Every structure is written in C-alpha cells, then in structure tokens.
Amino acid sequence: MIELKRRMMAMLFGVFSLLVVVVLGVQNYQEYESERVFLIEALNTLGQTAKQFSAPDMVGPYLPKEEGKQTPDLDTLSLIYSNPVCIVTFDNGTPLQVYASDLEHVDINSVIDQANRIYQAAYPGEYSVGNLYLDGTCWQLTKTKAVILIDTIKIQKRLFRRMIGSALLACGFEVILYLICRAVVARMIAPIETTFKKQRQFIADASHELKTPVAVILANAEAMQQDDDPKWLTNIEEEAIRMNGLITSLLDLARSEQAQLQLEPVNLSRLLEKQCLIMEAAMFEKHLELVEHIEEDVKVMGQPSSLVQVIAILIDNAIEHSQGKVIATLRRQGKEVVMMISNTGVPIPPEERERIFERFYRADTSRNRAAGRYGLGLAIAKSIVESHHGKIRVECSGDVTSFVVTLKAA
C-alpha cells in the first residue's frame, strides 16, 4: 500500500510538474523570440536609415530631412529604441563616421574596434542577433558598408529577470503542487486502504471463527480413537453444523456484494406479512408480542429472494434482542418505501451504532458463538439493501431499537 501511494504520488506530481515547466518554458521562449524579432526589425529599420551616411563629404552625423522620406531619421530612432544604438560608416575600409544614440555611456574607441572587426569578417547584408542571454550586442553590415550595433544589455537583464522570476514561480508552484498532490493521493488511496484493512480484518475474523470448530472437531476425533462414546460424534456433528452455517453466511455475503441484481416490481407488503407469519412461532416460544403496521400493496423495485433474506435477518435480529415486542412497519413515503423492524429492550449504545453493520461485529458481547450467530447477518442485509440502491440505518428511541430500510417505490 505504501509503495502504491508512493508511485501514485510520483506519477501525479511528475505530470503536474512537467505541465508547469512546459507552460513557463513556453512563456520564456515566447518572450525570447519576441525580443529577437524586435531586434531583427530594428536592424532592418536602422539599415535603411544608415543610407543617410552614404555621402562622405557631409559634416556631422546628421543629414537634412528629405521631403516625403519614408524611413525615420536618427533623431527619431534615438527616441524609439531604448537600447544604445551605434552606426559606423566606412570609406575604403577606414571608419568614416560614428553615430551613437547615447554618447554618455558609449566608448567610441571600442565601438570602432568592434565595427572594424565586423567589417573585415562579414559580408554586406549579413546580420547577427546572437544569444540574448550571453551576447551583449547584435549587429548588421549593410550593403552600403555601414556597421550597425545595438547594445542588448538591457534586453539581457530583462530576460534574466524573467527567467529567474519564472524559476521562483516554478518553485512556488512545485511546493503547492506537492501539497495538493499529497492531499489528492491521500484522498484517492483512502477507500483502497479502508478496503484492504477490512479485507485483512475479515480474513482474520473468519479464520478465528473457523479455527474454534475445527479445533473441537479434531479434539473429538482424537478422543473417539480412544473412546467410542457417542458424545464425541455428537460434538463433531454440532461443530460441523456450526462451521457449515458460518461458511454459508460467508458465501451469502460474498454473493450479495458481487451480484448484479435484476430488479423488478415486488409486492413488499406480502413478503413482510409472510415472513412475520413464518417467524411468529419463534416469537411465541420467547413470549414476544408481534405488532404489525403494514400498508397494503406497497411495491418496490427489487429481487424477491434477496428482500426476503433482508426481512428474515432483521426479524431474527429483533427476536434475539427483544424484551417484549417485535414491531414490523411498512409505509409509502413519497417516491420511497420505508420498512422498519423494531424491538423493545436495551438500546444499542451510540458508539456502537456505526459499527453494527460491520462483519463479525457483535454489540452484545455476552452472546457466545454456540448460539450460531457470527455477526454477519446485518452485514449481509446492508449489502443487499445497497445492491437495491437503498439505505439501511439503526435508530434508538427510548427502549425501542429500529432498523430502517429505505427503498425506491415501484
């Protein structure tokens, strides 16, 4: 169970972690590509503007604005691009003019050296954006032999901040996801753990119940080898009957939990009246009074044999614990039918009412196993009622204990 829980946790956490990484990775990639596209467009625009430097006899970095000119001039570009821009023109391999949009923060000599290296190594029209996380400059060598340099340090810092923020966000999501996955897995695994615990308890209880009659049978069989007294055979027969009853109850419980019932309209009034008549002799022997409040022709959707078994279990249980009366009640209640089997006597303690339907559970610890009662009857009844899409509960009011079954009306 621990291994199953660990694997489910690893799988669920891994899937969500991968999803977080993919989402944040895509966001960072889109941001990176957006900056890259921006720089390529900036280089192309600056390349068009750099044609203003084509006349070597002009004085100063700026040319007069031409009427109807479509490309922005350098004054305008210095306002558009927040990143420092430098344009270096060459005449026969010699740097001719340098334009810097941010003279206060630009080393002209290093700009000229870098532009000279690009001029010597690149071919006209070539450009490079580079790795925006590592390189601090992107460049282009125009066809008019001008080198354009854009400082990308600001972009680099912005991308790094974005990446670090995404990493911190991912860590925060991972912690939250871990806690959520842990809670989800615990909730998912809880019913399985409960089932396994019940199964282990069931096996332990069944083994314990079967161990006693088997031990008695073996002891009596051994005694018969030394003494042919008929009482040993009688003891073996009684214990075999007990063991057969237990096995039959276990099989009934297994069938009730696994069977897919074919439901049909059933006259529950007749079934209850008939079962009360059958059990009346047992009540008479114990000097119990039978009280019936049964509406006529009350029908439910069910399987007759299974419903008879539920009624027999509940009436038998009421007879066993009654100290005066057994009350059978059946009535319609809207779209539902309520059947109630009650008995007078000592009520079930509140702390035991939730466990009364558990397998092998006995509220009355004074009863011994020789009575042929194993604590399986109510568990079988609950299983059958639930297979009919109904509910069963126990209620205690004063000295009256009632088992209430609710089923869908036909």
Side-chain angles (χ1 to χ4, degrees), residues 24-88:
L24 293 179
V26 168
Q27 287 181 346
N28 278 272
Y29 175 76
Q30 289 177 338
E31 179 79 10
Y32 183 92
E33 282 299 309
S34 176
E35 295 289 357
R36 184 179 179 84
V37 170
F38 165 76
L39 289 172
I40 292 174
E41 292 176 350
L43 288 173
N44 291 331
T45 303
L46 289 168
Q48 295 295 321
T49 304
K51 292 179 180 179
Q52 299 178 52
F53 286 97
S54 58
D57 57 341
M58 296 298 297
V59 178
Y62 311 121
L63 290 178
K65 298 178 182 178
E66 299 178 8
E67 293 294 333
K69 191 174 182 63
Q70 298 298 318
T71 58
D73 58 29
L74 296 176
D75 288 329
T76 305
L77 288 173
S78 66
L79 299 176
I80 295 174
Y81 298 108
S82 60
N83 305 291
V85 176
C86 295
I87 300 177
V88 181

Side-chain angles (χ1 to χ4, degrees), residues 301-347:
M301 296 300 296
Q303 187 182 71
S305 60
S306 298
L307 292 175
V308 167
Q309 189 174 8
V310 172
I311 295 170
I313 289 170
L314 295 181
I315 294 178
D316 178 66
N317 183 76
I319 293 172
E320 184 65 25
H321 297 88
S322 179
Q323 295 179 359
K325 290 183 181 180
V326 173
I327 308 164
T329 305
L330 181 66
R331 67 176 184 274
R332 296 180 185 86
Q333 188 170 293
K335 295 182 179 181
E336 296 180 332
V337 170
V338 178
M339 179 177 68
M340 186 161 53
I341 307 298
S342 310
N343 64 269
T344 56
V346 180

Side-chain angles (χ1 to χ4, degrees), residues 255-256 258-264 301-307 383-389:
R255 279 195 293 267
S256 67
Q258 297 176 5
Q260 295 293 328
L261 300 180
Q262 296 295 325
L263 304 183
E264 60 185 60
M301 296 300 296
Q303 187 182 71
S305 60
S306 298
L307 292 175
S383 179
I384 294 174
V385 170
E386 289 179 347
S387 68
H388 282 72
H389 311 293

Side-chain angles (χ1 to χ4, degrees), residues 98-316:
V98 177
Y99 167 78
S101 64
D102 191 359
L103 289 173
E104 295 181 1
H105 300 89
V106 172
D107 183 354
I108 299 298
N109 291 327
S110 63
V111 168
I112 293 174
D113 290 341
Q114 187 177 7
N116 195 42
R117 288 194 299 272
I118 294 171
Y119 183 86
Q120 298 298 328
Y123 58 85
E126 183 180 358
Y127 69 90
S128 173
V129 175
N131 189 323
L132 298 181
Y133 287 110
L134 302 176
D135 301 329
T137 306
C138 68
W139 56 266
Q140 180 184 29
L141 177 60
T142 68
K143 293 181 179 179
T144 57
K145 301 298 182 68
V147 176
I148 302 170
L149 300 170
I150 301 179
D151 190 308
T152 59
I153 295 297
K154 289 183 179 179
I155 294 176
Q156 185 184 83
K157 290 180 178 179
R158 184 161 61 247
L159 290 175
F160 266 117
R161 286 196 299 268
R162 175 82 179 189
M163 185 171 62
I164 292 172
S166 296
L168 293 175
L169 187 62
C171 291
F173 270 123
E174 290 294 297
V175 173
I176 296 172
L177 283 175
Y178 176 80
L179 297 175
I180 292 175
C181 290
R182 188 172 179 178
V184 169
V185 169
R187 188 166 183 175
M188 291 172 62
I189 211 76
I192 301 176
E193 286 183 334
T194 302
T195 301
F196 273 107
K197 287 179 181 177
K198 288 183 177 179
Q199 186 179 29
R200 286 196 297 268
Q201 186 64 40
F202 176 73
I203 293 172
D205 291 340
S207 300
H208 179 72
E209 295 288 349
L210 289 169
K211 183 178 179 181
T212 301
V214 169
V216 172
I217 289 172
L218 292 175
N220 283 274
E222 184 178 348
M224 284 183 64
Q225 294 176 356
Q226 301 175 2
D227 182 5
D228 58 356
D229 192 326
K231 69 178 182 180
W232 307 123
L233 183 60
T234 301
N235 291 340
I236 291 175
E237 183 179 5
E238 289 177 353
E239 293 302 317
I241 292 172
R242 281 187 57 214
M243 191 159 56
N244 181 67
L246 174 58
I247 293 171
T248 301
S249 296
L250 291 173
L251 290 174
D252 287 342
L253 181 59
R255 279 195 293 267
S256 67
E257 291 179 341
Q258 297 176 5
Q260 295 293 328
L261 300 180
Q262 296 295 325
L263 304 183
E264 60 185 60
V266 177
N267 192 320
L268 192 59
S269 299
R270 293 180 184 175
L271 295 183
L272 183 55
E273 288 171 351
K274 183 177 180 180
Q275 203 60 35
C276 287
L277 184 61
I278 293 172
M279 304 293 285
E280 195 169 5
M283 298 182 204
F284 180 78
E285 288 182 1
K286 291 195 172 186
H287 307 289
L288 300 177
E289 179 186 353
L290 173 63
V291 180
E292 298 182 24
H293 302 291
I294 303 174
E295 291 185 10
E296 295 183 358
D297 293 324
V298 175
K299 295 181 179 181
V300 298
M301 296 300 296
Q303 187 182 71
S305 60
S306 298
L307 292 175
V308 167
Q309 189 174 8
V310 172
I311 295 170
I313 289 170
L314 295 181
I315 294 178
D316 178 66

